[in-house]
C-alpha cells in the first residue's frame, strides 16, 4: 500500500498546471519556424547596366547596415588579384558577355555564407540568368525574405549614363561626370580612391551588355512578378527620389 500524501499530490498538480499554461503561452517552436526565424531580408537589385543598381545598393547599405554584394565588384577584385577565377572571368567581361553561371554561383554562395550576411544582404548584379534566379530561390526558400527592386531605364539613357560614368578603383562608388560628379576631379568622395573608367564602359561593349541584358536578364522580371515579389521603379529621376521609392517597398523590421 502506498501512503496518500496530500501535499505531494497538490505539488504534482501545481507543476502539471504550470507546464500546461507554459506550453499554451509559449508553444514549442516547429523546426521550420526556428530555421526561418530572423527571416533576413535579401534585397535583389534588378535592372539593366547603368540603371543605378550600384548607387541604390550603396545607399541602402548606408541605411540598413547590411552587406552590399556586387558580383561585378567581386569579379573585378578577382581580376586585380589575378586569381584563376579572375583570369577566366576577364575573357567574358571584356566582351560584354556573362560569366558562366556555375562560376558565379560558387563565388556568390561562398560570399553570402559568411557571418556578416546572417542579418540579410543586398545583391547588386545578381541574379542575371534564370538559372541563377532559380538557384537563389532554392537556397533562400523558407530561410529569408527576398524582395526584388527592378530599376527601369530606357536604352538611350543607359548609353548616355555609362559612357560618362567613372567608378572608384577602391570602393566601387560610381559617379556621372555630368549629373553627379565627384567633389574633387578624379578622387572618390567616400574613400579618396582613384576614379577610373571601367574597361567595359565603352560604347561597343555597352551595346553588347544591353543586348545580353534584354536576352538573358530581362526575363527575370516576369519570373519575379509571378512570385509576387517584384517592385518596379522608374529610374529616369534623381537618385534621392529613386531611393525614396525603393525604401517604401522595404518592409519595416517587426519588433
Ligand atoms: P556589373 O559590374 O554588374 O556591370 O558586371 C560587370 C560584368 O561582370 C558583367 O558584364 C558580366 O560580364 C559579369 N557579371 C557580373 N555579375 C554577373 C552575373 N550575376 N552573372 C554573370 N556575369 C556577371
Amino acid at each position: 500500500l502506498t501512503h496518500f500524501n496530500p501535499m505531494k499530490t497538490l505539488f504534482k498538480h501545481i507543476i502539471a498546471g504550470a507546464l500546461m499554461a507554459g506550453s499554451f503561452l509559449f508553444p514549442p517552436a516547429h523546426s521550420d519556424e526556428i530555421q526561418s526565424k530572423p527571416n533576413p531580408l535579401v534585397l535583389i537589385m534588378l535592372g539593366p547596366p547603368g540603371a543605378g543598381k550600384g548607387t541604390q545598393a550603396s545607399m541602402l547599405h548606408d541605411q540598413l547596415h547590411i552587406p552590399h554584394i556586387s558580383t561585378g565588384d567581386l569579379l573585378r577584385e578577382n581580376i586585380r588579384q589575378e586569381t584563376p577565377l579572375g583570369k577566366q572571368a576577364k575573357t567574358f567581361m571584356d566582351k560584354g558577355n556573362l560569366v558562366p553561371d556555375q562560376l558565379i554561383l560558387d563565388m556568390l554562395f561562398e560570399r553570402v555564407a559568411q557571418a556578416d550576411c546572417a542579418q540579410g544582404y543586398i545583391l547588386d548584379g545578381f541574379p542575371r540568368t534564370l538559372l541563377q534566379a532559380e538557384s537563389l530561390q532554392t537556397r533562400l526558400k523558407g530561410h529569408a525574405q527576398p524582395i526584388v527592386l527592378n530599376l527601369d531605364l530606357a536604352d538611350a539613357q543607359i548609353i548616355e549614363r555609362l559612357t560618362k560614368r567613372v567608378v572608384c578603383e577602391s570602393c566601387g562608388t560610381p559617379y556621372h561626370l555630368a549629373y553627379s560628379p565627384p567633389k574633387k576631379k578624379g578622387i572618390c568622395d567616400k574613400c579618396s580612391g582613384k576614379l577610373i573608367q571601367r574597361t567595359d564602359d565603352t560604347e561597343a561593349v555597352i551595346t553588347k551588355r544591353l543586348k545580353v541584358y534584354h536576352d538573358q536578364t530581362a526575363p527575370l522580371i516576369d519570373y519575379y512578378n509571378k512570385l509576387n515579389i517584384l517592385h518596379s521603379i522608374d529610374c529616369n529621376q534623381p537618385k534621392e527620389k529613386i531611393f525614396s521609392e525603393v525604401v517604401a517597398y522595404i518592409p519595416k523590421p517587426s519588433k
Side-chain angles (χ1 to χ4, degrees):
L1 264 182
T2 48
H3 292 284
F4 174 67
N5 181 340
M7 284 311 287
K8 209 169 160 184
T9 308
L10 181 66
F11 187 65
K12 266 191 202 161
H13 279 114
I14 290 171
I15 296 286
L19 285 175
M20 272 172 67
S23 63
F24 175 71
L25 292 172
F26 308 103
H30 186 265
S31 60
D32 283 346
E33 284 171 12
I34 293 172
Q35 284 177 343
S36 64
K37 253 300 157 47
N39 209 17
L41 271 182
V42 172
L43 303 176
I44 299 169
M45 313 304 293
L46 197 64
K53 300 188 295 291
T55 304
Q56 294 299 319
S58 158
M59 292 164 88
L60 280 170
H61 162 78
D62 291 345
Q63 176 146 334
L64 302 174
H65 310 292
I66 53 178
H68 164 194
I69 300 168
S70 152
T71 40
D73 284 348
L74 290 177
L75 291 169
R76 282 184 286 276
E77 186 54 31
N78 274 276
I79 292 175
R80 252 194 303 278
Q81 300 198 359
E82 298 180 3
T83 66
L85 169 62
K87 283 181 191 150
Q88 251 181 304
K90 189 169 167 25
T91 59
F92 297 95
M93 292 166 76
D94 282 348
K95 295 193 189 95
N97 286 320
L98 293 185
V99 174
D101 284 332
Q102 205 49 55
L103 295 179
I104 296 287
L105 287 169
D106 290 347
M107 175 184 78
L108 194 266
F109 288 166
E110 190 189 317
R111 174 65 189 89
V112 299
Q114 289 171 19
D116 64 336
C117 291
Q119 303 304 316
Y121 47 90
I122 306 158
L123 292 175
D124 161 12
F126 178 94
R128 261 175 155 106
T129 64
L130 212 47
L131 192 132
Q132 291 179 16
E134 286 165 352
S135 307
L136 179 67
Q137 272 308 105
T138 306
R139 189 185 166 101
L140 297 182
K141 217 160 205 157
H143 305 275
Q145 187 183 2
I147 306 246
V148 184
L149 300 151
N150 177 40
L151 305 187
D152 203 12
L153 194 68
D155 286 6
Q157 279 154 336
I158 289 168
I159 294 175
E160 146 74 15
R161 277 193 192 186
L162 292 186
T163 48
K164 297 203 178 83
R165 173 166 81 173
V166 287
V167 294
C168 174
E169 198 177 39
S170 312
C171 73
T173 302
Y175 298 85
H176 187 278
L177 294 177
Y179 305 132
S180 59
K183 291 187 184 111
K184 258 199 223 156
K185 194 172 168 230
I187 308 280
C188 178
D189 293 351
K190 276 197 174 176
C191 74
S192 300
K194 187 174 158 209
L195 300 182
I196 52 158
Q197 184 170 41
R198 274 171 46 173
T199 51
D200 58 351
D201 276 350
T202 59
E203 196 154 344
V205 183
I206 293 166
T207 310
K208 179 69 201 279
R209 285 160 65 203
L210 270 179
K211 182 172 172 354
V212 167
Y213 166 77
H214 287 297
D215 291 347
Q216 301 191 54
T217 309
L220 301 190
I221 296 175
D222 201 36
Y223 172 79
Y224 283 124
N225 218 354
K226 287 194 179 121
L227 292 178
N228 238 343
I229 54 174
L230 184 98
H231 307 286
S232 289
I233 297 130
D234 172 15
C235 287
N236 188 24
Q237 44 181 350
K239 64 179 181 195
E240 292 77 15
K241 179 79 180 40
I242 300 170
F243 188 61
S244 67
E245 291 188 24
V246 164
V247 167
Y249 287 121
I250 298 173
K252 304 282 165 289
S254 50
K255 297 213 170 111

